[in-house]
């Protein structure tokens, strides 16, 4: 059994993680450019200054994507590369870069999926209050207008934000990511609310300005609960846990998804957050709750849940010796069954897996190749679970592996390698890993070869 004829096989990246050319051709600085300059912040004091030098090597990279046979490529646009100060004057060279990249992709039959924001926020705007400023949703809408006006004659698929949970909660509450703030919780919720408004406004822009029929979505970090057994009680407990707000942070599915899809914040979150919830304008939820075309979600793992004695969800520890990636992410392939299924059942929109993959101990072997059997096994296991969801009538439109190439892994610098393509950073030489050849066959057989083992 294969996926549908129209199933999209892709891979993903993000601007700051691959482009480099951080201070070139008129690009403005982002919060990540500044954050990386703080000593002892990033592993080995590394930064995305050069990264994969994709800004200069995009033609070679696209030809490698073609070699692998990708149907689609998910990239993000760097806001400060396009509008150096965040609002106002455009940077023609920045716009030109994306223009050419899109043409290059389309010339070899790869559909671009654009994420408007994957964390590299303009530093100038951060200086003006960033996501706390009440004008921040309009700044984002202005930027979205520029990109959509320029690229929507050729680009059909748009994702407004990547993982708001991460850049708001990890960037503004725990301070572990850029901009490195540790705000009061009420302020974190204000920033989150402005991001939701920015999402809604950007979708309005996409609908109003697209020159071809557009498809729009928002990519959440999928927080997945896996039922400990398939008993109806455990399944229900996992579902309940996945769709609840249980802690005073922004690390949940529903604080983000319910306003976007249902036009309201979840009751349990409102009760838990109390007075910290910002004032919500009369028309805010109308702006936030724009119809979307798909439910985009990044899924890497999941935790186990069962029904406790009182029927309430209870976390189950992983077994001793649980398989882990080098980034210490538990390998739990069932996350790619239960995640899509629960999201599909609740939000009733076709699912796109916008990220899934693993970091591994990859190096160049004596034979000059990069052998990564763990990654092949990981992807095979996860994709089999996705296939199972598909067989169980969960509508899944596509799958994007993270990442097409090794890149700058945020706080971890270049320590974690997620790519299908190995990058030797000192020389910028690219080598297709074994997993790239394997993925090529998955794509060519439309998933039929996943059952081979
Ligand atoms: C992010 C990527 C990141 C990946 C692996 C996701 O949370 O969207 O930018 O590289 O996970 O950690």
């Amino acid at each position: 059994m294969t996926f549908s004829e129209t199933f999209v096989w892709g891979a993903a990246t993000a601007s700051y993680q691959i482009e480099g050319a951080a201070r070139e051709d008129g690009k403005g600085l982002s919060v990540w450019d500044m954050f990386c300059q703080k000593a002892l912040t990033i592993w080995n004091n590394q930064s995305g200054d050069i990264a994969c030098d994709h800004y200069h090597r995009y033609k070679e990279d696209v030809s490698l994507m073609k070699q692998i046979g990708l149907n689609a490529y998910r990239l993000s646009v760097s806001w400060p590369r396009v509008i150096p100060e965040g609002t106002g004057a455009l940077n023609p060279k920045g716009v030109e870069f994306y223009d050419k990249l899109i043409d290059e992709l389309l010339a070899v039959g790869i559909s671009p999926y654009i994420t408007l924001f994957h964390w590299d926020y303009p530093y100038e705007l951060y200086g003006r209050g960033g996501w706390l400023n009440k004008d921040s949703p309009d700044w984002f809408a202005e930027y979205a207008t520029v990109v959509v006006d320029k690229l929507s004659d050729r680009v059909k698929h748009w994702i407004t934000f990547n993982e708001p949970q991460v850049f708001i909660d990890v960037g503004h509450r725990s301070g572990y990511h850029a901009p490195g703030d540790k705000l009061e919780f009420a302020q974190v919720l204000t920033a989150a609310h402005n991001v939701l408004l920015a999402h809604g406004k950007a979708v309005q822009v996409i609908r109003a300005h697209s020159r071809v029929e557009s498809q729009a979505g928002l990519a959440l970090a999928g927080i997945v609960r896996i039922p400990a057994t398939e008993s109806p009680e455990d399944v229900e407990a996992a579902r309940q846990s996945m769709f609840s707000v249980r802690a005073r942070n922004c690390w949940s599915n529903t604080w983000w998804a319910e306003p976007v899809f249902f036009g309201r914040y979840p009751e349990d979150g409102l009760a838990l957050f109390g007075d910290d919830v910002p004032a919500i304008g009369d028309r805010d939820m109308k702006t936030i709750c724009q119809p979307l075309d798909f439910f985009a979600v990044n899924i890497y793992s999941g935790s186990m849940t069962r029904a406790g004695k009182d029927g309430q969800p209870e976390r189950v520890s992983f077994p001793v010796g649980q398989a882990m990636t080098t980034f210490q992410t538990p390998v739990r392939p069932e996350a790619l069954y239960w995640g899509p299924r629960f999201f599909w059942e609740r939000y009733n929109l076709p699912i796109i897996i916008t990220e899934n993959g693993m970091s591994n101990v990859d190096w160049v072997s004596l034979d000059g190749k990069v052998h990564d059997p763990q990654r092949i096994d990981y992807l095979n296991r996860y994709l089999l679970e996705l296939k199972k969801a598909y067989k169980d009538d969960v509508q899944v439109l596509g799958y994007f592996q993270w990442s097409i190439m090794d890149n700058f892994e945020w706080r971890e610098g270049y320590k974690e390698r997620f790519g299908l393509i190995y990058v030797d950073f000192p020389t910028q030489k690219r080598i297709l890993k074994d997993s790239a050849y394997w993925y090529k066959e998955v794509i060519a057989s439309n998933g039929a070869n996943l059952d081979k083992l």
Side-chain angles (χ1 to χ4, degrees):
M1 182 249 169
T2 55
F3 289 87
S4 81
E5 291 277 298
T6 54
F7 191 81
V8 175
W9 293 99
T13 62
S15 45
Y16 189 70
Q17 295 182 271
I18 64 162
E19 285 178 2
R23 290 165 182 76
E24 233 178 283
D25 282 352
K27 176 183 164 291
L29 295 177
S30 76
V31 292
W32 271 96
D33 288 310
M34 303 308 283
F35 192 62
C36 291
Q37 285 183 10
K38 287 192 200 162
L40 304 179
T41 302
I42 311 295
W43 186 74
N44 273 356
N45 288 324
Q46 295 172 335
S47 76
D49 280 2
I50 301 174
C52 308
D53 196 29
H54 174 73
Y55 185 75
H56 298 113
R57 293 169 197 262
Y58 71 92
K59 286 192 178 169
E60 178 189 354
D61 292 336
V62 171
S63 78
L64 294 172
M65 292 176 204
K66 179 176 180 245
Q67 204 180 318
I68 297 172
L70 296 192
N71 308 147
Y73 169 52
R74 174 179 173 232
L75 65 128
S76 79
V77 172
S78 157
W79 182 351
R81 192 181 293 288
V82 171
I83 310 180
E85 298 196 347
T87 62
L90 302 193
N91 173 28
K93 289 221 161 167
V95 177
E96 190 189 314
F97 167 68
Y98 295 107
D99 211 29
K100 286 192 187 152
L101 173 58
I102 299 304
D103 283 345
E104 195 74 18
L105 288 163
L106 291 173
V108 295
I110 299 178
S111 306
Y113 279 57
I114 290 193
T115 306
L116 288 170
F117 183 78
H118 197 131
W119 308 354
D120 40 0
Y121 191 76
Y123 191 68
E124 283 289 330
L125 294 183
Y126 174 65
R128 292 165 64 187
W131 290 114
L132 288 173
N133 189 311
K134 67 172 178 24
D135 294 331
S136 57
D138 291 322
W139 298 338
F140 189 69
E142 180 190 327
Y143 156 64
T145 306
V146 167
V147 179
V148 172
D149 280 349
K150 190 67 200 164
L151 303 178
S152 69
D153 54 337
R154 288 153 291 160
V155 174
K156 202 172 158 190
H157 296 93
W158 300 92
I159 288 153
T160 54
F161 284 92
N162 180 68
E163 298 188 348
Q165 291 108 323
V166 178
F167 74 86
I168 288 299
D169 201 80
V170 186
H172 296 78
R173 192 183 61 84
S174 65
Y176 191 72
H177 271 193
D181 288 342
K182 293 183 181 167
L183 302 176
E184 295 293 326
F185 194 48
Q187 290 184 301
V188 177
L189 292 179
T190 298
H193 191 66
N194 284 333
V195 168
L196 285 168
L197 285 167
H199 158 80
K201 289 187 180 219
V203 176
Q204 289 172 333
V205 166
I206 292 166
R207 301 305 188 202
H209 289 246
S210 272
R211 280 179 274 163
V212 294
E213 202 194 320
S214 61
Q215 302 260 308
L218 160 81
L220 289 181
I223 296 153
V224 176
R225 301 283 183 253
I226 301 164
T229 73
E230 296 208 0
S231 75
E233 295 76 19
D234 285 352
V235 171
E236 197 39 44
R239 187 199 317 273
Q240 255 187 49
S241 170
M242 201 161 128
F243 297 113
S244 61
V245 178
R246 290 171 173 258
R248 285 172 59 81
N249 58 41
C250 289
W251 195 249
S252 74
N253 295 311
T254 47
W255 190 255
W256 301 95
E258 314 280 287
V260 167
F261 296 103
F262 299 155
R264 54 176 159 70
Y265 278 118
E267 290 298 330
D268 56 355
L270 288 170
L272 186 66
F273 299 165
D275 290 347
D276 286 335
V277 176
I280 300 165
D282 293 345
R283 295 158 56 143
D284 287 6
M285 285 300 164
K286 239 185 144 181
T287 303
I288 294 169
C289 183
Q290 298 294 315
L292 297 180
D293 301 292
F294 50 81
F295 188 94
V297 62
N298 302 345
I299 297 178
Y300 289 86
S301 190
S303 51
M304 313 290 290
T305 304
R306 69 173 166 223
K309 287 206 185 70
D310 53 0
Q312 288 300 305
E314 190 177 88
R315 198 156 174 160
V316 180
S317 316
F318 290 123
V320 175
Q322 164 67 46
M324 307 291 258
T325 72
T326 56
F327 203 4
Q328 299 308 305
T329 305
V331 179
R332 299 303 313 192
E334 321 91 293
L336 222 47
Y337 174 79
W338 290 104
R341 178 172 153 180
F342 284 149
F343 285 126
W344 160 250
E345 287 171 355
R346 188 170 183 94
Y347 299 111
N348 213 6
L349 273 181
I351 308 285
I352 301 184
I353 305 300
T354 32
E355 284 181 32
N356 168 248
M358 69 168 284
S359 64
N360 194 22
V361 278
D362 303 318
W363 66 76
V364 184
S365 291
L366 284 171
D367 61 6
K369 298 181 178 163
V370 181
H371 303 296
D372 56 343
Q374 281 83 2
R375 180 171 290 104
I376 294 176
D377 192 65
Y378 172 106
L379 295 174
N380 202 144
R381 286 173 188 270
Y382 274 70
L383 281 166
L384 279 172
E385 293 290 333
L386 187 66
K387 200 166 176 178
K388 188 173 151 209
Y390 187 79
K391 279 189 210 151
D392 284 357
D393 294 327
V394 175
Q395 209 184 326
V396 192
L397 299 178
Y399 169 88
F400 289 77
Q401 188 272 349
W402 182 273
S403 170
I404 188 69
M405 60 185 129
D406 295 338
N407 59 46
F408 177 75
E409 180 50 40
W410 309 113
R411 275 282 299 222
E412 316 306 316
Y414 299 94
K415 177 158 61 75
E416 303 298 335
R417 291 184 178 270
F418 275 89
L420 294 173
I421 300 171
Y422 180 89
V423 179
D424 178 54
F425 292 102
T427 62
Q428 290 296 341
K429 187 175 169 206
R430 276 87 160 124
I431 301 173
L432 266 62
K433 300 180 191 173
D434 288 355
S435 58
Y437 295 103
W438 173 85
Y439 193 47
K440 183 183 167 88
E441 283 174 35
V442 174
I443 299 173
S445 68
N446 197 19
N449 77 329
L450 293 167
D451 301 299
K452 242 165 62 184
L453 286 177

